[in-house]
Amino acid sequence: MMRYIKLVNFEINRFSKIYLSLLLITLVSQFAGVIIVTKSLLNDARDIMKEERLSEAAYITNYGGIDFNHIANSLLFVGPIALSAVALIFYIFLIWYRDWFGKNTFIYRLLMLPASRLSIYLSKATSIFLMVLGLIAFQIIILPMENALFNSNVPEALLNEMSISTITIANPILSLIIPSTFTQFLISYGIGLMIMSILFTSIMFERSFRIKGIIMGLLYCGIAAVLFLAPFFVMEFGNFYFYPNELFGLLLALGIILTGLSVWLGAWLLKNRVTV
């Protein structure tokens, strides 16, 4: 267990500079977005009121108030979230291939450690999952601050004040990364874990069989996708209907099976087919 924890800490430290950069970009960009977009919205509102000779009350009646959704839908707000997501998806591949193609082919030293190769596999998966949760926690922490800054900069007469829960529900991206219920959490992050484990296993196929492994990895991804989406295919083409609870149960069971199978197969390939 201690070796596993040390490996997790090691993997997180290797990505720490990029990770901290992502946090800083998110912080600066989103707060800048709050200030810039708010100022632009207020200027537009004043221009309309001046041109049409409207009072603030008349403007609210004709055009509605200003709320945080304008900020949450802006590029400065969602851009860092998308950048962080892309960076972590890219790191799913980098976390393995960097060890093979780095200057010192570090994978040879890593695989010769007096530790189970399953620990190596799980430590890489755990480090990525913890970094995802860290980014989400950071967004949860700074979102109330951004909302408070927005509320303080918009005149009360023009403001449609929104709670944090309303903001996360109203914005598709925020509702995906900050689930409002435990069930949504299981769906969002369970699917994320499943996809990561499938990609890890595909990488192990490629590392084990090279060119043939690429084809095997792609086939594995395709088969896993078809199996997971099978309930939807059954409903669409089989004239069959699942109730929401039944569909959730099926997807949860399939997700657990595919994740467990992927971890087992990937760890087996790493132990028996990937050689030093």
Side-chain angles (χ1 to χ4, degrees), residues 194 222-235 247 251 254 258:
M194 179 187 69
I223 292 171
V226 169
L227 287 175
F228 184 71
L229 297 175
F232 296 102
F233 295 144
V234 170
M235 289 194 297
L247 183 61
L251 293 177
L254 288 170
L258 287 172

Side-chain angles (χ1 to χ4, degrees), residues 118-133:
L118 176 62
S119 297
I120 298 172
Y121 182 100
L122 292 178
S123 68
K124 291 181 182 292
T126 302
S127 64
I128 291 176
F129 189 64
L130 288 176
M131 286 186 282
V132 170
L133 293 182

Side-chain angles (χ1 to χ4, degrees), residues 197-268:
S197 65
I198 290 171
L199 291 177
F200 269 22
T201 301
S202 300
I203 293 170
M204 291 302 100
F205 272 120
E206 189 278 328
R207 288 289 86 195
S208 299
F209 304 103
R210 298 304 190 269
I211 300 298
K212 292 181 180 178
I214 296 175
I215 299 173
M216 296 170 69
L218 292 174
L219 284 174
Y220 183 76
C221 289
I223 292 171
V226 169
L227 287 175
F228 184 71
L229 297 175
F232 296 102
F233 295 144
V234 170
M235 289 194 297
E236 181 69 24
F237 302 107
N239 294 322
F240 198 83
Y241 178 77
F242 293 111
Y243 289 103
N245 288 339
E246 293 174 334
L247 183 61
F248 172 74
L250 281 172
L251 293 177
L252 181 62
L254 288 170
I256 292 172
I257 291 170
L258 287 172
T259 301
L261 176 63
S262 297
V263 171
W264 173 82
L265 183 56
W268 184 87

Side-chain angles (χ1 to χ4, degrees), residues 51-99:
E51 290 175 3
E52 300 184 14
R53 298 180 179 178
L54 298 175
S55 64
E56 290 180 341
Y59 176 85
I60 292 291
T61 302
N62 293 341
Y63 296 97
I66 300 174
D67 57 54
F68 195 83
N69 272 334
H70 294 91
I71 308 296
N73 291 322
S74 68
L75 180 61
L76 286 171
F77 190 91
V78 300
I81 298 175
L83 176 63
S84 299
V86 170
L88 288 174
I89 291 172
F90 176 73
Y91 194 62
I92 289 175
F93 297 91
L94 181 64
I95 200 172
W96 287 105
Y97 286 111
R98 176 181 55 187
D99 293 338

